[in-house]
Amino acid sequence: MMIHKGPFVRFTWSFVTDTRLNHHPVAPTGIDQIEWKGRSFNKDADIPFYLRIERQTIYGLPSKKNCYFGIGIHFISALELKKDITTLTQFKSIVHSLSVETLKYKSMFDHKEELLKWLTRNIETFSDTAQSAELQSTSHTESKTQFNTNLKK
């Protein structure tokens, strides 16, 4: 039985457009179900999406014949994601490879193409910025070397 073993830990991720902690599929009383379901990806928003990372842990409590289920939640905003080319590229690969069923489960099906365009654009921008910085650095090093050579003359 689960209560006699563990703890058990797993990680999950979700594509979300808010930082609400409660993402139960059924809206609380008085909240519109369509608004609650949300996931309205807007590529032009300041923060168009978040990756919601959950660390889920089950601890057995044999003396109580029960268990404790805990969730630690962390959000990575699209702004943070844009700063890390490796994660950005990996996430694009993941989105591209997801099955239709998984895209629907993660509420990404309707946003896949726009999200892939956003990711591609930001990967290209990151690459262009990195190349520009490398050229500036090389140019600065060459100028410094030339300056030092001229001083020695």
Side-chain angles (χ1 to χ4, degrees):
M1 268 177 95
M2 184 181 287
I3 62 172
H4 296 288
K5 297 183 180 181
F8 301 98
V9 178
R10 76 175 189 159
F11 292 87
T12 65
W13 67 272
S14 303
F15 170 81
V16 298
T17 54
D18 59 62
T19 55
R20 243 185 13 245
L21 294 179
N22 182 356
H23 273 230
H24 192 279
V26 178
T29 306
I31 304 292
D32 179 64
Q33 182 67 34
I34 293 171
E35 181 182 326
W36 180 258
K37 193 75 169 158
R39 310 299 192 280
S40 54
F41 174 69
N42 176 356
K43 66 180 175 37
D44 298 320
D46 290 339
I47 301 176
F49 66 92
Y50 299 86
L51 293 180
R52 175 186 166 114
I53 313 298
E54 293 183 6
R55 180 180 192 262
Q56 301 176 350
T57 308
I58 298 175
Y59 296 95
L61 303 170
S63 65
K64 303 288 184 192
K65 297 182 181 168
N66 215 326
C67 63
Y68 168 79
F69 178 70
I71 301 177
I73 300 172
H74 176 73
F75 292 96
I76 301 173
S77 75
L79 296 179
E80 291 175 70
L81 193 64
K82 285 169 51 170
K83 297 175 186 174
D84 182 355
I85 188 68
T86 302
T87 306
L88 199 60
T89 304
Q90 288 173 341
F91 185 55
K92 179 184 175 192
S93 178
I94 289 167
V95 171
H96 186 68
S97 67
L98 292 174
S99 68
V100 169
E101 294 80 15
T102 302
L103 287 165
K104 287 180 179 178
Y105 175 77
K106 293 192 172 288
S107 300
M108 296 172 68
F109 181 77
D110 295 334
H111 311 293
K112 179 182 178 180
E113 294 311 314
E114 277 299 311
L115 178 57
L116 285 171
K117 286 178 189 174
W118 185 93
L119 291 164
T120 300
R121 186 174 65 252
N122 282 282
I123 289 168
E124 289 169 354
T125 301
F126 191 96
S127 297
D128 291 346
T129 303
Q131 287 175 355
S132 176
E134 186 177 319
L135 286 174
Q136 287 177 356
S137 175
T138 302
S139 175
H140 176 72
T141 302
E142 288 171 356
S143 295
K144 190 175 176 183
T145 302
Q146 184 64 40
F147 177 76
N148 289 336
T149 302
N150 288 338
L151 279 178
K152 292 177 184 176
K153 289 182 179 179

